[in-house]
Amino acid sequence: MKLSKTKWLLATGLVFGLFGLIACDNSKTSPSNKITIEYFNQKKEMSQVIQDIAKDFEAENPKIHVDVIDVPNAGEVIKTRVLAGDIPDVINLYPQSIELREWAQAGYLEDLTNEPYLENIKNDYAKRFAIQDRIYSIPLTANVYGFYYNKTAFDQMNLTAPKTWSDFQNLTATIEKQGKVPFAIAGAEGWTLNGYHQLALATVAGGGKEANNIWRFSKVNGISTDAPNMQNDFNRLDLLRQSGAMQQNWQGAGYNDTVVTFTKGDALIMPNGSWAMPMINSQNPDFEVATFPFPADKEGKSLTIGAGDLALSISATSDHKKEARQFIKYMTTPKAMQKYYDVDGSPCAVKGVIEHNTDSPLSGLTELAFTDRHLVWLAKDWNSENDFYTLTTNYLHNGNKKMMVDALNAFFNPMKADGK
């Protein structure tokens, strides 16, 4: 969605946008003699931790107040606010997002390329999200996507996490033969399967760039049902479609429903991202949770996918850039991010944070973090994603190969005019 084409959002979302703006404006009351910077949060499940970190920052910087803003449908509210010219001082934006790219190019975000605190970020991770070689986002954590599994049940059933695609097929067949349900799936929220399908494409093609070359950058109407790569993609999706592979009523299940299904032990495997870990913990499952990445045909080629998760940008129009920079500098310290990591558990890009990789339920995924087997979401080269969610879940519903290929061509064709 390009900025030049999105003015309609102000009209279609006027009532909603005004509500969001009013809510945010009412929250800007500053304690006396303090400069208030507004922090726009999209990590709602981590809101309390972020507020605690903001208080720690304020204790060290008594002249600055950080107003942490949480609103419903934060992703839509921030679009409305940017278009209205009411941009928060510090924004949690996902660095692979279309919005970050377009807003940076439009001059709405501050150039952070030369900030000294970039040295606190591991492996030049921020550069992976650079836009025309300039950095507009500071990624502090990364999400990873793969499979959660009930390790207690696996041990009792003498099952092991798969290392190849063939292993995975055999594993799900064995689970079904033993009278259990392999997968907890959120059929009503297609975004939860975005990682599954993108990793299916990537493992089939041999990597993220290779996948986009086949699907995103091929010729118009170049995706064919009979193509070997497409057949292999169907094979990956069909693993979920096998009779008994998913929980009953999966079609109407939402994200929360699926986590509950998994933590109750009604299904043994749940495809999802690291962001689900706090919710799993809140359910207090009476079994050990573990994870594994998306298996490829060959051992040692399994992949995970994700991007910067907690990632911060500064408004180019902020009246308090100095204070905003000071806050982001604090957020790149081990002191701040250790508190965040200890709750969130996602891979942390800040040097000095002690990660419990060997003990963490996420270790099966986090061991690949920041390596060449940790792909950035393929959609970083797309200009939309929602229709991809829909065509994925539609295929799980109907298994119609031609319909999905037609939907893929319809989805990618408009992008192909842009080239690489």
Side-chain angles (χ1 to χ4, degrees), residues 209-220:
K209 290 182 180 179
E210 293 82 356
N212 267 334
N213 284 338
I214 292 169
W215 282 276
R216 160 66 174 89
F217 296 116
S218 57
K219 294 179 180 179
V220 171

mmCIF file with all atom_site columns, all heavy atoms in Angstrom, residues 209-220:
data_model
loop_
_atom_site.group_PDB
_atom_site.id
_atom_site.type_symbol
_atom_site.label_atom_id
_atom_site.label_alt_id
_atom_site.label_comp_id
_atom_site.label_asym_id
_atom_site.label_entity_id
_atom_site.label_seq_id
_atom_site.pdbx_PDB_ins_code
_atom_site.Cartn_x
_atom_site.Cartn_y
_atom_site.Cartn_z
_atom_site.occupancy
_atom_site.B_iso_or_equiv
_atom_site.pdbx_formal_charge
_atom_site.auth_seq_id
_atom_site.auth_comp_id
_atom_site.auth_asym_id
_atom_site.auth_atom_id
_atom_site.pdbx_PDB_model_num
ATOM 1   N N   . LYS A 1 209 ? 15.470 -15.746 -0.806  1.00 0.00 ? 209 LYS A N   1
ATOM 2   C CA  . LYS A 1 209 ? 15.634 -15.054 -2.083  1.00 0.00 ? 209 LYS A CA  1
ATOM 3   C C   . LYS A 1 209 ? 15.177 -15.936 -3.230  1.00 0.00 ? 209 LYS A C   1
ATOM 4   O O   . LYS A 1 209 ? 14.523 -15.476 -4.176  1.00 0.00 ? 209 LYS A O   1
ATOM 5   C CB  . LYS A 1 209 ? 17.099 -14.648 -2.283  1.00 0.00 ? 209 LYS A CB  1
ATOM 6   C CG  . LYS A 1 209 ? 17.570 -13.536 -1.363  1.00 0.00 ? 209 LYS A CG  1
ATOM 7   C CD  . LYS A 1 209 ? 19.013 -13.160 -1.655  1.00 0.00 ? 209 LYS A CD  1
ATOM 8   C CE  . LYS A 1 209 ? 19.481 -12.037 -0.731  1.00 0.00 ? 209 LYS A CE  1
ATOM 9   N NZ  . LYS A 1 209 ? 20.910 -11.684 -0.987  1.00 0.00 ? 209 LYS A NZ  1
ATOM 10  N N   . GLU A 1 210 ? 15.509 -17.226 -3.129  1.00 0.00 ? 210 GLU A N   1
ATOM 11  C CA  . GLU A 1 210 ? 15.121 -18.163 -4.172  1.00 0.00 ? 210 GLU A CA  1
ATOM 12  C C   . GLU A 1 210 ? 13.603 -18.285 -4.267  1.00 0.00 ? 210 GLU A C   1
ATOM 13  O O   . GLU A 1 210 ? 13.035 -18.363 -5.364  1.00 0.00 ? 210 GLU A O   1
ATOM 14  C CB  . GLU A 1 210 ? 15.748 -19.532 -3.904  1.00 0.00 ? 210 GLU A CB  1
ATOM 15  C CG  . GLU A 1 210 ? 17.255 -19.574 -4.025  1.00 0.00 ? 210 GLU A CG  1
ATOM 16  C CD  . GLU A 1 210 ? 18.010 -19.083 -2.791  1.00 0.00 ? 210 GLU A CD  1
ATOM 17  O OE1 . GLU A 1 210 ? 17.343 -18.627 -1.821  1.00 0.00 ? 210 GLU A OE1 1
ATOM 18  O OE2 . GLU A 1 210 ? 19.252 -19.157 -2.778  1.00 0.00 ? 210 GLU A OE2 1
ATOM 19  N N   . ALA A 1 211 ? 12.944 -18.288 -3.096  1.00 0.00 ? 211 ALA A N   1
ATOM 20  C CA  . ALA A 1 211 ? 11.478 -18.370 -3.085  1.00 0.00 ? 211 ALA A CA  1
ATOM 21  C C   . ALA A 1 211 ? 10.864 -17.151 -3.755  1.00 0.00 ? 211 ALA A C   1
ATOM 22  O O   . ALA A 1 211 ? 9.948  -17.271 -4.581  1.00 0.00 ? 211 ALA A O   1
ATOM 23  C CB  . ALA A 1 211 ? 10.976 -18.509 -1.652  1.00 0.00 ? 211 ALA A CB  1
ATOM 24  N N   . ASN A 1 212 ? 11.361 -15.967 -3.426  1.00 0.00 ? 212 ASN A N   1
ATOM 25  C CA  . ASN A 1 212 ? 10.803 -14.767 -4.046  1.00 0.00 ? 212 ASN A CA  1
ATOM 26  C C   . ASN A 1 212 ? 11.111 -14.705 -5.539  1.00 0.00 ? 212 ASN A C   1
ATOM 27  O O   . ASN A 1 212 ? 10.309 -14.184 -6.322  1.00 0.00 ? 212 ASN A O   1
ATOM 28  C CB  . ASN A 1 212 ? 11.314 -13.517 -3.339  1.00 0.00 ? 212 ASN A CB  1
ATOM 29  C CG  . ASN A 1 212 ? 10.379 -13.055 -2.228  1.00 0.00 ? 212 ASN A CG  1
ATOM 30  O OD1 . ASN A 1 212 ? 9.179  -13.317 -2.264  1.00 0.00 ? 212 ASN A OD1 1
ATOM 31  N ND2 . ASN A 1 212 ? 10.917 -12.373 -1.238  1.00 0.00 ? 212 ASN A ND2 1
ATOM 32  N N   . ASN A 1 213 ? 12.259 -15.248 -5.955  1.00 0.00 ? 213 ASN A N   1
ATOM 33  C CA  . ASN A 1 213 ? 12.560 -15.280 -7.386  1.00 0.00 ? 213 ASN A CA  1
ATOM 34  C C   . ASN A 1 213 ? 11.551 -16.138 -8.145  1.00 0.00 ? 213 ASN A C   1
ATOM 35  O O   . ASN A 1 213 ? 11.188 -15.842 -9.286  1.00 0.00 ? 213 ASN A O   1
ATOM 36  C CB  . ASN A 1 213 ? 13.972 -15.814 -7.633  1.00 0.00 ? 213 ASN A CB  1
ATOM 37  C CG  . ASN A 1 213 ? 15.043 -14.785 -7.314  1.00 0.00 ? 213 ASN A CG  1
ATOM 38  O OD1 . ASN A 1 213 ? 14.772 -13.585 -7.294  1.00 0.00 ? 213 ASN A OD1 1
ATOM 39  N ND2 . ASN A 1 213 ? 16.250 -15.237 -7.064  1.00 0.00 ? 213 ASN A ND2 1
ATOM 40  N N   . ILE A 1 214 ? 11.093 -17.206 -7.506  1.00 0.00 ? 214 ILE A N   1
ATOM 41  C CA  . ILE A 1 214 ? 10.141 -18.117 -8.156  1.00 0.00 ? 214 ILE A CA  1
ATOM 42  C C   . ILE A 1 214 ? 8.728  -17.565 -8.141  1.00 0.00 ? 214 ILE A C   1
ATOM 43  O O   . ILE A 1 214 ? 8.015  -17.633 -9.152  1.00 0.00 ? 214 ILE A O   1
ATOM 44  C CB  . ILE A 1 214 ? 10.187 -19.498 -7.472  1.00 0.00 ? 214 ILE A CB  1
ATOM 45  C CG1 . ILE A 1 214 ? 11.533 -20.173 -7.744  1.00 0.00 ? 214 ILE A CG1 1
ATOM 46  C CG2 . ILE A 1 214 ? 9.034  -20.387 -7.949  1.00 0.00 ? 214 ILE A CG2 1
ATOM 47  C CD1 . ILE A 1 214 ? 11.781 -21.416 -6.902  1.00 0.00 ? 214 ILE A CD1 1
ATOM 48  N N   . TRP A 1 215 ? 8.304  -17.011 -7.015  1.00 0.00 ? 215 TRP A N   1
ATOM 49  C CA  . TRP A 1 215 ? 6.910  -16.596 -6.892  1.00 0.00 ? 215 TRP A CA  1
ATOM 50  C C   . TRP A 1 215 ? 6.722  -15.092 -7.081  1.00 0.00 ? 215 TRP A C   1
ATOM 51  O O   . TRP A 1 215 ? 5.875  -14.668 -7.848  1.00 0.00 ? 215 TRP A O   1
ATOM 52  C CB  . TRP A 1 215 ? 6.361  -17.041 -5.537  1.00 0.00 ? 215 TRP A CB  1
ATOM 53  C CG  . TRP A 1 215 ? 6.019  -18.503 -5.519  1.00 0.00 ? 215 TRP A CG  1
ATOM 54  C CD1 . TRP A 1 215 ? 4.856  -19.079 -5.961  1.00 0.00 ? 215 TRP A CD1 1
ATOM 55  C CD2 . TRP A 1 215 ? 6.837  -19.578 -5.050  1.00 0.00 ? 215 TRP A CD2 1
ATOM 56  N NE1 . TRP A 1 215 ? 4.919  -20.449 -5.806  1.00 0.00 ? 215 TRP A NE1 1
ATOM 57  C CE2 . TRP A 1 215 ? 6.108  -20.789 -5.234  1.00 0.00 ? 215 TRP A CE2 1
ATOM 58  C CE3 . TRP A 1 215 ? 8.110  -19.663 -4.478  1.00 0.00 ? 215 TRP A CE3 1
ATOM 59  C CZ2 . TRP A 1 215 ? 6.608  -22.040 -4.895  1.00 0.00 ? 215 TRP A CZ2 1
ATOM 60  C CZ3 . TRP A 1 215 ? 8.620  -20.902 -4.134  1.00 0.00 ? 215 TRP A CZ3 1
ATOM 61  C CH2 . TRP A 1 215 ? 7.878  -22.072 -4.343  1.00 0.00 ? 215 TRP A CH2 1
ATOM 62  N N   . ARG A 1 216 ? 7.533  -14.296 -6.425  1.00 0.00 ? 216 ARG A N   1
ATOM 63  C CA  . ARG A 1 216 ? 7.332  -12.845 -6.469  1.00 0.00 ? 216 ARG A CA  1
ATOM 64  C C   . ARG A 1 216 ? 7.877  -12.223 -7.754  1.00 0.00 ? 216 ARG A C   1
ATOM 65  O O   . ARG A 1 216 ? 7.246  -11.348 -8.348  1.00 0.00 ? 216 ARG A O   1
ATOM 66  C CB  . ARG A 1 216 ? 7.994  -12.217 -5.234  1.00 0.00 ? 216 ARG A CB  1
ATOM 67  C CG  . ARG A 1 216 ? 8.309  -10.724 -5.300  1.00 0.00 ? 216 ARG A CG  1
ATOM 68  C CD  . ARG A 1 216 ? 7.044  -9.872  -5.366  1.00 0.00 ? 216 ARG A CD  1
ATOM 69  N NE  . ARG A 1 216 ? 7.371  -8.464  -5.282  1.00 0.00 ? 216 ARG A NE  1
ATOM 70  C CZ  . ARG A 1 216 ? 7.640  -7.676  -6.319  1.00 0.00 ? 216 ARG A CZ  1
ATOM 71  N NH1 . ARG A 1 216 ? 7.620  -8.169  -7.550  1.00 0.00 ? 216 ARG A NH1 1
ATOM 72  N NH2 . ARG A 1 216 ? 7.925  -6.393  -6.156  1.00 0.00 ? 216 ARG A NH2 1
ATOM 73  N N   . PHE A 1 217 ? 9.055  -12.643 -8.212  1.00 0.00 ? 217 PHE A N   1
ATOM 74  C CA  . PHE A 1 217 ? 9.733  -11.963 -9.318  1.00 0.00 ? 217 PHE A CA  1
ATOM 75  C C   . PHE A 1 217 ? 9.682  -12.737 -10.634 1.00 0.00 ? 217 PHE A C   1
ATOM 76  O O   . PHE A 1 217 ? 10.392 -12.398 -11.572 1.00 0.00 ? 217 PHE A O   1
ATOM 77  C CB  . PHE A 1 217 ? 11.187 -11.668 -8.945  1.00 0.00 ? 217 PHE A CB  1
ATOM 78  C CG  . PHE A 1 217 ? 11.328 -10.705 -7.793  1.00 0.00 ? 217 PHE A CG  1
ATOM 79  C CD1 . PHE A 1 217 ? 11.903 -11.110 -6.597  1.00 0.00 ? 217 PHE A CD1 1
ATOM 80  C CD2 . PHE A 1 217 ? 10.880 -9.400  -7.903  1.00 0.00 ? 217 PHE A CD2 1
ATOM 81  C CE1 . PHE A 1 217 ? 12.034 -10.228 -5.535  1.00 0.00 ? 217 PHE A CE1 1
ATOM 82  C CE2 . PHE A 1 217 ? 11.000 -8.514  -6.837  1.00 0.00 ? 217 PHE A CE2 1
ATOM 83  C CZ  . PHE A 1 217 ? 11.580 -8.921  -5.649  1.00 0.00 ? 217 PHE A CZ  1
ATOM 84  N N   . SER A 1 218 ? 8.864  -13.770 -10.690 1.00 0.00 ? 218 SER A N   1
ATOM 85  C CA  . SER A 1 218 ? 8.714  -14.493 -11.950 1.00 0.00 ? 218 SER A CA  1
ATOM 86  C C   . SER A 1 218 ? 7.860  -13.678 -12.920 1.00 0.00 ? 218 SER A C   1
ATOM 87  O O   . SER A 1 218 ? 7.376  -12.591 -12.583 1.00 0.00 ? 218 SER A O   1
ATOM 88  C CB  . SER A 1 218 ? 8.064  -15.859 -11.692 1.00 0.00 ? 218 SER A CB  1
ATOM 89  O OG  . SER A 1 218 ? 6.816  -15.703 -11.047 1.00 0.00 ? 218 SER A OG  1
ATOM 90  N N   . LYS A 1 219 ? 7.659  -14.215 -14.118 1.00 0.00 ? 219 LYS A N   1
ATOM 91  C CA  . LYS A 1 219 ? 6.859  -13.512 -15.111 1.00 0.00 ? 219 LYS A CA  1
ATOM 92  C C   . LYS A 1 219 ? 5.396  -13.433 -14.656 1.00 0.00 ? 219 LYS A C   1
ATOM 93  O O   . LYS A 1 219 ? 4.942  -14.250 -13.862 1.00 0.00 ? 219 LYS A O   1
ATOM 94  C CB  . LYS A 1 219 ? 6.935  -14.229 -16.458 1.00 0.00 ? 219 LYS A CB  1
ATOM 95  C CG  . LYS A 1 219 ? 8.328  -14.205 -17.078 1.00 0.00 ? 219 LYS A CG  1
ATOM 96  C CD  . LYS A 1 219 ? 8.338  -14.961 -18.410 1.00 0.00 ? 219 LYS A CD  1
ATOM 97  C CE  . LYS A 1 219 ? 9.738  -14.940 -19.036 1.00 0.00 ? 219 LYS A CE  1
ATOM 98  N NZ  . LYS A 1 219 ? 9.770  -15.703 -20.319 1.00 0.00 ? 219 LYS A NZ  1
ATOM 99  N N   . VAL A 1 220 ? 4.687  -12.463 -15.176 1.00 0.00 ? 220 VAL A N   1
ATOM 100 C CA  . VAL A 1 220 ? 3.257  -12.347 -14.903 1.00 0.00 ? 220 VAL A CA  1
ATOM 101 C C   . VAL A 1 220 ? 2.567  -13.656 -15.297 1.00 0.00 ? 220 VAL A C   1
ATOM 102 O O   . VAL A 1 220 ? 2.846  -14.221 -16.362 1.00 0.00 ? 220 VAL A O   1
ATOM 103 C CB  . VAL A 1 220 ? 2.651  -11.159 -15.675 1.00 0.00 ? 220 VAL A CB  1
ATOM 104 C CG1 . VAL A 1 220 ? 1.129  -11.167 -15.579 1.00 0.00 ? 220 VAL A CG1 1
ATOM 105 C CG2 . VAL A 1 220 ? 3.208  -9.844  -15.138 1.00 0.00 ? 220 VAL A CG2 1
#
